[in-house]
């Protein structure tokens, strides 16, 4: 049975696009909805243009009331009966109340070699630490930020002269390879860690 995947974005959604573009042909999953907290997210416009269902739940009217924001997210999601959620540059922290029922069925991509550099500014932090290796990780989402079992990592060598921007761009290329590869494996029940090295 085809698995239904909800993809959450906050920005341009290039990882979402990589996932959608991979979910064709004999792929055992399809995107059923793209969800965003931001009406102006580039990923929302792209999904609409492709005829993919979208839902926007603006977090701002909810202020600090995360439970109500997450209830609205769940109400929007329920219309599309997803089996899985892929967070793809979704920049809101989800609480245990939301994550709990989805645990084991929700993935995230993060631009660092977890467990290093949870949170923001990962590229600058890797450079500041003098790391010679950097990359990205796909992991199962738990109630702890950027935590949970790691399902795949892509590594690259930090080059002389790399800046946070050049690293971000190079890591993003790897994200677009890694996330679709991990999702394909995940939906067929393979939960071991996939290790990929940049060419
Ligand atoms: C990606 O680099 C993703 O790993 C990162 O945001 C970017 C979104 O780009 N996510 C996080 O930092 C989450 N903690 P995209 O909108 O083009 O996919």
């Amino acid at each position: 049975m085809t698995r239904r995947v909800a993809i959450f974005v906050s920005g341009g959604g290039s990882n979402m696009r990589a996932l959608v573009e991979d979910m064709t042909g004999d792929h055992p999953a399809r995107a059923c909805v793209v969800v965003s907290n931001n009406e102006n997210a580039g990923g929302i416009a792209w999904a609409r243009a492709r005829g993919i269902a979208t839902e926007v739940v603006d977090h701002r009217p909810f202020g600090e009331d995360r439970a109500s924001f997450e209830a609205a997210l769940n109400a929007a999601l329920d219309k599309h009966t997803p089996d899985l959620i892929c967070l793809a540059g979704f920049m809101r922290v989800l609480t245990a109340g939301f994550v709990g029922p989805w645990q084991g069925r929700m993935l995230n991509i993060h631009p660092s070699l977890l467990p290093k550099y949870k949170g923001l500014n990962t590229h600058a932090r890797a450079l500041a630490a003098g790391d010679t290796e950097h990359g990205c990780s796909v992991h199962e989402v738990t109630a702890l930020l950027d935590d949970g079992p790691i399902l795949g990592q892509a590594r690259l060598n930090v080059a002389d002269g790399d800046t946070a921007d050049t690293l971000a761009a190079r890591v993003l290329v790897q994200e677009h390879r890694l996330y679709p590869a991990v999702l394909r494996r995940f939906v067929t029940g393979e939960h071991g860690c996939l290790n990929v090295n940049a060419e």
Side-chain angles (χ1 to χ4, degrees):
M1 202 179 67
T2 304
R3 310 296 298 280
R4 297 170 63 76
V5 181
I7 309 176
F8 284 29
V9 304
S10 292
S14 68
N15 277 291
M16 177 274 291
R17 297 201 295 271
L19 292 174
V20 167
E21 283 168 353
D22 197 52
M23 284 189 273
T24 60
D26 64 358
H27 195 296
R30 289 290 184 276
C32 64
V33 63
V34 174
V35 177
S36 184
N37 61 310
N38 174 11
E39 169 68 32
N40 298 318
I44 284 290
W46 185 88
R48 284 186 183 142
R50 294 280 295 240
I52 299 169
T54 60
E55 296 284 350
V56 176
V57 182
D58 187 345
H59 63 280
R60 289 171 301 182
F62 297 97
E64 297 297 305
D65 185 359
R66 288 183 188 266
S68 296
F69 169 62
E70 291 175 354
L73 270 182
N74 268 323
L77 265 186
D78 281 350
K79 294 187 242 167
H80 304 277
T81 60
D83 301 302
L84 287 175
I85 295 176
C86 285
L87 305 181
F90 186 67
M91 303 309 273
R92 305 302 302 170
V93 173
L94 295 167
T95 71
F98 185 90
V99 171
W102 284 99
Q103 202 158 315
R105 299 184 296 145
M106 177 159 30
L107 311 187
N108 181 45
I109 187 152
H110 184 72
S112 77
L113 293 173
L114 291 172
K116 284 187 163 184
Y117 315 129
K118 298 174 181 181
L120 299 175
N121 303 318
T122 57
H123 311 298
R125 287 157 69 198
L127 283 175
D131 290 357
T132 56
E133 189 181 61
H134 185 45
C136 52
S137 307
V138 176
H139 64 97
E140 285 186 38
V141 177
T142 67
L144 298 177
L145 181 69
D146 299 328
D147 208 83
I150 295 173
L151 299 167
Q153 293 192 309
R155 307 183 126 73
L156 52 74
N157 293 322
V158 177
D160 286 347
D162 256 329
T163 65
D165 286 346
T166 62
L167 262 187
R170 292 172 57 222
V171 169
L172 196 59
V173 171
Q174 299 309 315
E175 294 185 40
H176 299 160
R177 293 175 65 209
L178 182 69
Y179 209 173
V182 169
L183 180 62
R184 265 185 191 258
R185 285 161 50 101
F186 191 80
V187 292
T188 56
E190 266 189 76
H191 294 191
C193 186
L194 173 70
N195 288 299
V196 175
N197 290 313
E199 281 118 24

